[in-house]
């Protein structure tokens, strides 16, 4: 027994020593601050309860009165191991053992046990400062979080052909762009997909194939030389659509010709296919101009792209016994739903679900993605729930939601006007996105002129700043809200330079840049020769907040919530204001260190702006 005990102790000590020896490398490669701490606690847990496998370290930021972070495994571990002959006598002794078995690390200043085994961690100021200084030298990309995803599709924006982009497209476009940017920063290869309504499989507000026939016939009628007609000749595409719709509704002969045009289009007649392509191209040029202004990049793969894959996709689902006949249609019944998922209509035509299933199959099997993110309004939630369930029943997606490959629906609420109803013009028309962006820029320009900036700046600087602040204000006012909620569109609020607005944050960044400029110091040289120290409490608070950037991006990516990043950015600005109010920078004994802290704050703010699709300004 003594020999066995001695052998066991030697094995335990050897295991602990081996774990400690590998921790330095793990720490460096762990990703975010929280991931680094989780690695340390994972090593401790393996030593503390070697017989228990698959224990996830429960590490979270905690109340600043108790420390910086907390490990909360003791309670759940006690529930798991009591009655198994353990030597522990409750959660607090487990907590003490977790603390004692933590590998040595320069990260940690001290640990304390609180309550029923909570391990409170206070981080070392020297380590926080060192980590920030390393970022200043090596770049903020070294703070990118590590996600369990290599390749993802973000399917967003998705305007309809022959209709201008309106305020309803704003949310999908900027939420999708921000999610794509955050995933790209996290070293995920992102396929930015624009699933435009170019063929007419969507059930409600999309252009149906019949309406394409209507548009084509109207094109032939209005422009006999339609092959050389361009967007200038056709003019306002929305007006063109409305005029063709009026003819369709009032002229039986025109309606009959439009119906015949559909037959020709679906039959592949070259003239009609070319006309359809021309209408698509004119539409495309229109929304590309909006994307350019918003700084959004997308690759178009519209409904028509997936048409060739629909038949085979439905055959695969039929072979698995998922598709059934019901009232003349072919459907997939979904448990818990009152209506089935229709995949072939009674007339034999395909629909939204047919295209989505084909697109999912293509993305999983041809594009080999791990994660497919669909950004649409919350009104489509049930469709996606049914569509995802069908894919799980087919074995295309795992039944567990936390396993990959997976598909996620990113739903969002409505943009409301001051009256609490959908945001519209006074004539009850939907607000064109172009008009909204013009108004934002115009208001910003007027505010800058009122402050005399037209006399101080070049006309180019004035235009660029008005655009950056105006467009940024529109984006941030949307992104700062939880995407599931509706929000009221209000220019006065979003362009306010006080409170949680893009204007306030952009001006805060410009002020930091001004402080650095006034110092007259070469920041690139200072990064190499200066030393960052966090001796004042407000310096430490700001430094820790900077270091939490990676885990905030990770959280925003994992939960698909851009507002998490907005909240972090606003709080960062508040922490900087407190630091600057209480800590003299230029002319102080700590000038070098504090300038480095200013520079680090500006760099993190700029990366936040970039991830939110906002262009920073450097002077006000």
């Amino acid at each position: 027994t003594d020999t066995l005990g001695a052998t066991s102790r030697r094995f335990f000590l050897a295991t602990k020593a081996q774990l400690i020896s590998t921790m330095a490398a793990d720490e460096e490669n762990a990703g975010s601050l929280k991931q680094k701490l989780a690695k340390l606690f994972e090593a401790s847990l393996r030593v503390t309860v070697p017989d228990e496998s698959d224990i996830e370290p429960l590490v979270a930021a905690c109340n600043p009165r108790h420390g910086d972070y907390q490990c909360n495994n003791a309670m759940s571990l006690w529930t798991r191991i009591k009655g198994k002959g353990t030597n522990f006598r409750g959660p607090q002794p487990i907590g003490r053992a977790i603390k004692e078995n933590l590998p040595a690390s320069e990260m940690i200043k001290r640990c304390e046990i609180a309550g029923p085994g909570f391990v409170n961690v206070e981080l070392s100021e020297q380590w926080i400062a060192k980590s920030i200084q390393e970022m200043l030298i090596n770049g903020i990309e070294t703070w990118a979080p590590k996600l369990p995803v290599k390749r993802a599709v973000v399917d967003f924006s998705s305007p309809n052909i022959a209709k201008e982009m309106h305020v309803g497209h704003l949310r999908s476009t900027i939420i999708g762009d921000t999610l794509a940017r955050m995933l790209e920063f996290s070293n995920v290869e992102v396929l930015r997909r624009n699933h435009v309504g170019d063929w007419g499989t969507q059930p409600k507000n999309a252009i149906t194939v019949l309406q394409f026939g209507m548009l084509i016939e109207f094109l032939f009628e209005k422009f006999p030389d339609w092959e050389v007609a361009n967007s200038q000749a056709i003019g306002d595409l929305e007006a063109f659509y409305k005029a063709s719709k009026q003819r369709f509704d009032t002229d039986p002969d025109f309606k009959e010709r439009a119906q015949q045009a559909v037959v020709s289009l679906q039959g592949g007649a070259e003239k009609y296919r070319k006309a359809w392509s021309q209408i698509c191209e004119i539409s495309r040029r229109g929304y590309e101009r909006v994307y350019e202004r918003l700084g959004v990049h997308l690759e178009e793969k519209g409904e028509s792209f997936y048409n060739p894959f629909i038949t085979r996709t439905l055959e695969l689902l039929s072979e698995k016994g998922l598709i059934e006949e019901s009232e003349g249609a072919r459907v997939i019944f979904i448990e818990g739903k009152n209506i089935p998922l229709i995949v072939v209509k009674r007339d034999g035509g395909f629909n939204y679900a047919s295209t989505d299933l084909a697109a999912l199959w293509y993305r999983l099997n041809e594009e080999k993605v791990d994660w497919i993110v669909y950004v649409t309004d919350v009104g489509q939630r049930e469709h996606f729930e049914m569509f995802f369930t069908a894919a799980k029943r087919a074995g295309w997606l795992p039944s567990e939601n936390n396993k990959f490959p997976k598909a996620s629906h990113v739903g969002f609420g409505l943009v409301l006007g001051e009256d609490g109803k959908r945001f519209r013009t006074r004539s009850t028309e939907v607000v064109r996105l172009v008009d909204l962006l013009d108004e934002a820029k115009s208001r910003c320009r007027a505010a800058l002129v009122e402050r005399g900036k037209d006399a101080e700046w070049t006309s180019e600087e004035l235009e660029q700043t008005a655009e950056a602040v105006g467009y940024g204000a529109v984006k941030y006012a949307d992104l700062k809200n939880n995407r599931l909620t509706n929000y009221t569109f209000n220019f006065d609020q979003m362009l306010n330079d006080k409170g949680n607005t893009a204007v306030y944050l952009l001006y805060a960044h410009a002020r930091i840049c001004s402080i650095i400029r006034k110092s007259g110091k070469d920041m690139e040289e200072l990064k190499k020769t200066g030393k960052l120290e966090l001796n004042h409490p407000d310096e430490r608070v700001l430094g820790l907040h900077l270091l939490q950037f990676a885990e905030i991006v990770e959280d925003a990516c994992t939960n698909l919530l851009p507002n998490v990043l907005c909240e972090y950015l606003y709080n960062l600005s508040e922490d900087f204001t407190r630091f600057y109010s209480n800590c003299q920078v230029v002319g102080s004994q700590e000038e070098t260190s504090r300038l480095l802290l200013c520079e680090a704050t500006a760099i993190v703010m700029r990366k936040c702006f970039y991830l939110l699709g906002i262009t920073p300004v450097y002077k006000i």
Side-chain angles (χ1 to χ4, degrees):
T1 305
D2 289 344
T3 303
L4 283 172
T7 302
S8 177
R9 282 192 298 276
R10 282 197 299 274
F11 175 75
F12 172 84
L13 292 170
T15 302
K16 184 174 180 180
Q18 184 180 3
L19 286 167
I20 290 171
S21 69
T22 61
M23 283 313 297
D26 282 347
E27 244 179 66
E28 288 301 313
N29 300 316
S32 70
L33 168 53
K34 190 161 79 170
Q35 286 172 330
K36 292 176 192 289
L37 279 172
K39 281 283 185 185
L40 290 171
F41 278 103
E42 184 183 358
S44 172
L45 288 164
R46 288 205 298 269
V47 172
T48 303
V49 280
D51 296 331
E52 300 296 322
S53 59
D54 303 323
I55 299 174
E56 189 82 16
L58 304 176
V59 177
C62 66
N63 188 314
R65 288 180 300 174
H66 305 306
D68 299 318
Y69 284 81
Q70 191 175 74
C71 175
N72 303 321
N73 282 89
M75 288 281 285
S76 57
L77 257 180
W78 171 243
T79 303
R80 182 166 167 172
I81 66 175
K82 65 180 179 182
K84 289 187 178 180
T86 177
N87 291 326
F88 292 113
R89 293 292 176 262
Q92 195 172 63
I94 295 174
R96 280 198 297 270
I98 293 171
K99 172 181 174 285
E100 288 162 7
N101 290 325
L102 268 174
S105 170
E106 62 174 336
M107 290 177 66
I108 297 175
K109 183 177 181 179
R110 69 168 63 91
C111 288
E112 292 180 350
I113 303 300
F118 300 129
V119 185
N120 293 331
V121 176
E122 183 181 340
L123 298 170
S124 157
E125 289 81 9
Q126 289 76 21
W127 182 81
I128 296 172
K130 176 188 168 187
S131 300
I132 294 170
Q133 198 144 10
E134 286 174 351
M135 180 277 287
L136 286 171
I137 294 168
N138 300 319
I140 193 154
E141 285 69 27
T142 57
W143 280 5
K146 297 184 185 300
L147 302 179
V149 183
K150 290 183 179 178
R151 198 174 216 213
V153 163
V154 181
D155 182 327
F156 65 106
S157 193
S158 307
N160 294 316
I161 292 299
K163 286 197 171 184
E164 286 200 70
M165 291 181 72
H166 55 76
V167 70
H169 295 112
L170 176 69
R171 301 208 76 182
S172 177
T173 303
I174 63 178
I175 291 170
D177 182 53
T178 291
L179 294 175
R181 285 170 182 258
M182 291 193 298
L183 288 166
E184 286 161 350
F185 174 66
S186 306
N187 296 306
V188 176
E189 181 189 357
V190 178
L191 308 180
R192 293 160 161 261
R193 292 287 181 256
N194 199 1
H195 191 86
V196 296
D198 64 352
W199 193 246
T201 59
Q202 298 185 33
K204 289 187 179 178
N205 60 353
I207 308 300
T208 64
V209 177
L210 180 57
Q211 286 168 313
F212 262 119
M214 170 189 86
L215 288 164
I216 289 169
E217 197 56 40
F218 195 65
L219 179 70
F220 292 162
E221 185 178 281
K222 291 285 287 183
F223 301 97
D225 56 345
W226 61 270
E227 289 184 273
V228 295
N230 54 33
S231 53
Q232 283 74 32
I234 290 174
D236 185 337
L237 199 57
E238 191 89 9
F240 182 81
Y241 172 77
K242 286 178 182 175
S244 65
K245 181 72 167 69
Q246 186 177 17
R247 283 294 308 281
F248 184 85
D249 291 339
T250 59
D251 185 335
D253 291 339
F254 178 84
K255 184 174 183 178
E256 188 176 340
R257 291 200 305 274
Q259 290 168 332
Q260 186 56 47
V262 171
V263 176
S264 300
L265 176 63
Q266 291 180 322
E270 186 179 359
K271 175 182 174 182
Y272 290 84
R273 296 287 292 189
K274 283 179 72 174
W276 168 73
S277 296
Q278 185 161 335
I279 292 169
C280 289
E281 185 54 37
I282 293 169
S283 295
R284 191 174 292 118
R285 286 199 292 270
Y287 52 70
E288 282 296 339
R289 284 194 291 272
V290 175
Y291 294 145
E292 187 177 344
R293 292 175 71 172
L294 290 171
V296 172
H297 167 69
L298 280 147
E299 182 185 357
E300 184 180 316
K301 272 193 168 64
E303 293 169 356
S304 61
F305 176 84
Y306 300 104
N307 271 7
F309 302 97
I310 292 177
T311 302
R312 180 56 186 150
T313 300
L314 297 183
E315 285 174 0
L316 291 170
L317 293 168
S318 292
E319 288 167 9
K320 291 178 180 289
L322 267 64
I323 297 179
E324 304 176 42
E325 297 287 332
S326 176
E327 299 180 15
R330 299 182 69 202
V331 305
I332 299 175
F333 287 100
I334 305 295
E335 188 177 350
K337 299 293 182 183
N338 295 326
I339 55 170
L341 184 70
I342 299 171
V343 294
V344 182
K345 296 182 289 186
R346 290 176 186 174
D347 62 4
F350 300 133
N351 63 1
Y352 200 174
S354 325
T355 308
D356 275 350
L357 286 163
L360 179 70
W361 181 91
Y362 181 87
R363 288 163 175 176
L364 291 172
N365 294 280
E366 297 295 327
E367 295 180 321
K368 309 288 185 187
V369 299
D370 307 304
W371 197 4
I372 307 168
V373 178
Y374 298 85
V375 187
T376 76
D377 64 272
V378 291
Q380 297 189 46
R381 178 168 49 203
E382 185 170 56
H383 164 76
F384 281 100
E385 285 175 359
M386 295 173 73
F387 154 50
F388 293 164
T389 301
K392 288 175 182 178
R393 284 185 60 198
W396 297 353
L397 296 172
S399 55
E400 301 91 340
N401 289 330
N402 61 342
K403 290 191 176 177
F404 293 95
K406 70 177 180 178
S408 303
H409 176 226
V410 175
F412 54 82
L414 299 172
V415 182
L416 305 177
E418 296 291 335
D419 58 0
K421 299 176 182 176
R422 280 180 184 266
F423 188 39
R424 293 182 182 274
T425 64
R426 287 180 183 175
S427 59
T428 72
E429 295 284 329
V430 292
V431 179
R432 296 193 319 162
L433 201 42
V434 167
D435 294 339
L436 187 146
L437 294 174
D438 286 343
E439 175 80 1
K441 180 180 176 181
S442 175
R443 286 183 179 229
C444 277
R445 191 183 189 285
L448 291 167
V449 169
E450 191 177 325
R451 293 170 54 187
K453 296 301 175 184
D454 55 330
E456 296 176 28
W457 297 349
T458 65
S459 58
E460 186 180 11
E461 286 176 323
L462 189 67
E463 290 301 308
Q464 287 176 347
T465 304
E467 194 169 286
V469 177
Y471 297 174
V474 170
K475 288 185 177 185
Y476 189 82
D478 188 308
L479 294 168
K480 74 176 183 180
N481 299 287
N482 184 309
R483 57 177 168 75
L484 291 168
T485 62
N486 300 335
Y487 82 96
T488 301
F489 193 95
N490 183 305
F491 272 123
D492 291 335
Q493 287 180 7
M494 67 178 60
L495 295 172
N496 195 330
D497 61 3
K498 295 178 178 63
N500 189 9
T501 67
V503 182
Y504 168 75
L505 294 167
L506 287 165
Y507 285 7
H509 171 261
R511 279 192 292 273
I512 297 172
C513 296
S514 176
I515 294 164
I516 294 170
R517 280 197 303 271
K518 284 177 182 175
S519 76
K521 296 293 174 66
D522 181 344
M523 288 309 301
E524 292 308 310
E525 186 61 30
L526 219 57
K527 289 177 191 178
K528 298 172 189 171
T529 60
K531 184 180 180 184
L532 177 59
E533 296 179 331
L534 304 173
N535 296 323
H536 191 283
D538 290 327
E539 292 175 321
R540 188 187 190 281
V541 168
L542 179 57
L544 178 59
H545 196 93
L546 289 169
L547 209 54
Q548 291 171 330
F549 170 69
E551 66 202 59
I552 292 298
V553 176
E554 180 188 5
D555 185 22
C557 284
T558 303
N559 297 302
L560 301 167
L561 291 172
N563 64 294
V564 169
L565 182 62
C566 294
E567 183 181 357
Y568 170 85
L569 175 57
Y570 178 66
N571 289 336
L572 176 60
S573 179
E574 294 287 275
D575 285 345
F576 180 83
T577 300
R578 194 178 306 110
F579 151 75
Y580 189 62
S581 299
N582 297 325
C583 303
Q584 181 185 347
V585 178
V586 179
S588 69
Q589 287 187 331
E590 301 87 354
E591 180 180 271
T592 295
S593 173
R594 289 175 178 173
L595 281 171
L596 289 171
L597 194 54
C598 287
E599 177 72 1
T601 304
I603 288 171
V604 172
M605 288 188 80
R606 283 197 288 275
K607 183 54 72 173
C608 288
F609 288 139
Y610 173 79
L611 297 178
L612 296 170
I614 296 171
T615 302
V617 296
Y618 292 83
K619 61 181 184 178
I620 51 173

